[in-house]
C-alpha cells in the first residue's frame, strides 16, 4: 500500500472516530420503521373509531364531566400551571433554553440539535393526526366547571401530552449513560402521565386523546431515532473536521453500548 493510501486510510479512521464520539447513537428497536408504521396505524384506528362508533365519545365525555364535578383547589392549580407550561409558546421557550444551554455550556451543537428535534417531534405528530382525524373537543357548555374552555376540531390527539412525552424522550437521550439516565426516564414518564391527566381534568380532551398522544409520539420518536442513527453520522462525517465537539466519556460509552444493541 502506498504512503498516500495509508494517509487516506488513517484520515478516514480519524474522521470516523470523531464522528462516533460526536454523534450520539440512539436506542432503536429492530425493524424500527415497521414499529413506527404500526403505532401510527393504531393511532388512526383509535381516532376513526371514536369518531364513527356511536356512544364511545359520550362514554368518554362522562369521565370529563365526573372530574369536572370534583375539582379541588390544589389540583386545579397544578392542572392550570401545566396547561400554561406545555402550551406552544411556553414550550418553545423551554426547548430553546435547554437547547442553548447544551450548545453554549456543554459545547455540543449536535446534541443541541438532537434535543430540539426530538422535543418538537411530539407537536409535529399531534398536528398531523389532528388534521387527519379532526375530532371536536369536549363541549365546555356541558361541563360543570370548565376551567379553560376550548372548541374546534383539534381534540385528537392532545398536543400538550404529545409535547410532554417528546420532551421526556429528548431529555433522556441527553443524559442517558450517566447517573441521571434512569432518574430522568422515570421522572419524564411520570410528568407525561400527569400532563395527560391534567388535559382530562381541565375538560379539553377525552381519555382516548391523551392515550393516542403517547402512541403517536412514540411512533415519531422511533422513526426519527432510526433515521438519526442511519444518516446523521454520515452527514457529520462529511463536514469539516472539528465541527462537532466530542462527547463526555460517559456518553461515548453509552453510544457504544447502544450501537451493539441496534437492530436492522
Amino acid at each position: 500500500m502506498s504512503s498516500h493510501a495509508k494517509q487516506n486510510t488513517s484520515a478516514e479512521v480519524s474522521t470516523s472516530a470523531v464522528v462516533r464520539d460526536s454523534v450520539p447513537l440512539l436506542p432503536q428497536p429492530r425493524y424500527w420503521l415497521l414499529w413506527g408504521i404500526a403505532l401510527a396505524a393504531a393511532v388512526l384506528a383509535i381516532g376513526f373509531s371514536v369518531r364513527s362508533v356511536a356512544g364511545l365519545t359520550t362514554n368518554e365525555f362522562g369521565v370529563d364531566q365526573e372530574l369536572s364535578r370534583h375539582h379541588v383547589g390544589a389540583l386545579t392549580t397544578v392542572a392550570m400551571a401545566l396547561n400554561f407550561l406545555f402550551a406552544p409558546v411556553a414550550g418553545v421557550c423551554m426547548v430553546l433554553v435547554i437547547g442553548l444551554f447544551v450548545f453554549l455550556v456543554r459545547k455540543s451543537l449536535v446534541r443541541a440539535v438532537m434535543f430540539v428535534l426530538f422535543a418538537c417531534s411530539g407537536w409535529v405528530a399531534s398536528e398531523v393526526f389532528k388534521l387527519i382525524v379532526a375530532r371536536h373537543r369536549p363541549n365546555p357548555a356541558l361541563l360543570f366547571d370548565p376551567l379553560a374552555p376550548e372548541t374546534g376540531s383539534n381534540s385528537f390527539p392532545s398536543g400538550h401530552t404529545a409535547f410532554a412525552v417528546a420532551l421526556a424522550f429528548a431529555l433522556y437521550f441527553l443524559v442517558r449513560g450517566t447517573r441521571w439516565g434512569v432518574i430522568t426516564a422515570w421522572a419524564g414518564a411520570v410528568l407525561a402521565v400527569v400532563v395527560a391527566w391534567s388535559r382530562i381534568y381541565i375538560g379539553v380532551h377525552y381519555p382516548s386523546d391523551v392515550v393516542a398522544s403517547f402512541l403517536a409520539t412514540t411512533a415519531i420518536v422511533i422513526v426519527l431515532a432510526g433515521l438519526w442513527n442511519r444518516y446523521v453520522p454520515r452527514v457529520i462525517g462529511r463536514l469539516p473536521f472539528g465541527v462537532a465537539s466530542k462527547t463526555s466519556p460517559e456518553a461515548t460509552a453509552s453510544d457504544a453500548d447502544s450501537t451493539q444493541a441496534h437492530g436492522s
Side-chain angles (χ1 to χ4, degrees):
M1 181 183 293
S2 65
S3 60
H4 181 67
K6 289 181 179 179
Q7 290 175 352
N8 287 341
T9 302
S10 176
E12 291 175 359
V13 171
S14 176
T15 301
S16 175
V18 170
V19 170
R20 188 166 56 249
D21 286 346
S22 302
V23 180
L25 296 178
L26 305 177
Q28 68 176 74
R30 185 177 293 272
Y31 309 121
W32 52 271
L33 186 57
L34 292 178
W35 272 106
I37 294 173
L39 289 171
V43 174
L44 291 175
I46 296 172
F48 290 130
S49 294
V50 295
R51 280 203 57 190
S52 59
V53 177
L56 289 181
T57 294
T58 301
N59 291 336
E60 285 195 272
F61 188 57
V63 177
D64 293 73
Q65 289 181 311
E66 187 63 23
L67 287 174
S68 183
R69 280 193 185 98
H70 300 94
H71 284 167
V72 179
L75 295 180
T76 299
T77 300
V78 172
M80 295 307 295
L82 294 174
N83 180 60
F84 170 77
L85 289 174
F86 288 85
V89 174
V92 167
C93 293
M94 190 190 313
V95 170
L96 290 179
V97 167
I98 298 174
L100 287 173
F101 173 82
V102 175
F103 174 50
L104 298 175
V105 179
R106 303 296 295 177
K107 307 296 183 183
S108 178
L109 175 60
V110 172
R111 288 179 177 270
V113 171
M114 178 195 73
F115 171 79
V116 172
L117 176 67
F118 280 89
C120 294
S121 65
W123 279 323
V124 175
S126 67
E127 289 302 317
V128 170
F129 287 113
K130 284 177 188 291
L131 291 173
I132 296 173
V133 176
R135 184 189 197 184
H136 286 282
R137 288 181 181 271
N139 186 351
L142 300 179
L143 294 173
F144 294 92
D145 182 23
L147 297 174
E150 293 186 37
T151 57
S153 58
N154 58 347
S155 183
F156 184 95
S158 163
H160 282 63
T161 306
F163 171 55
V165 176
L167 182 64
F169 273 113
L171 289 172
Y172 170 70
F173 290 160
L174 273 182
V175 301
R176 72 189 188 88
T178 71
R179 68 178 183 273
W180 298 106
V182 175
I183 296 174
T184 301
W186 280 104
V190 171
L191 178 62
V193 170
V194 173
V195 171
W197 159 82
S198 73
R199 306 311 289 159
I200 306 171
Y201 180 89
I202 291 173
V204 292
H205 282 289
Y206 300 100
S208 59
D209 295 344
V210 299
V211 171
S213 298
F214 282 86
L215 300 178
T217 306
T218 302
I220 195 171
V221 167
I222 287 175
V223 172
L224 276 179
L227 294 174
W228 176 278
N229 292 338
R230 183 174 292 255
Y231 295 110
V232 172
R234 300 179 188 178
V235 172
I236 298 298
R238 294 189 178 97
L239 296 178
F241 180 79
V243 167
S245 64
K246 289 191 176 184
T247 60
S248 64
E250 295 91 342
T252 303
S254 172
D255 294 341
D257 295 339
S258 150
T259 304
Q260 294 174 0
H262 285 165
S264 58

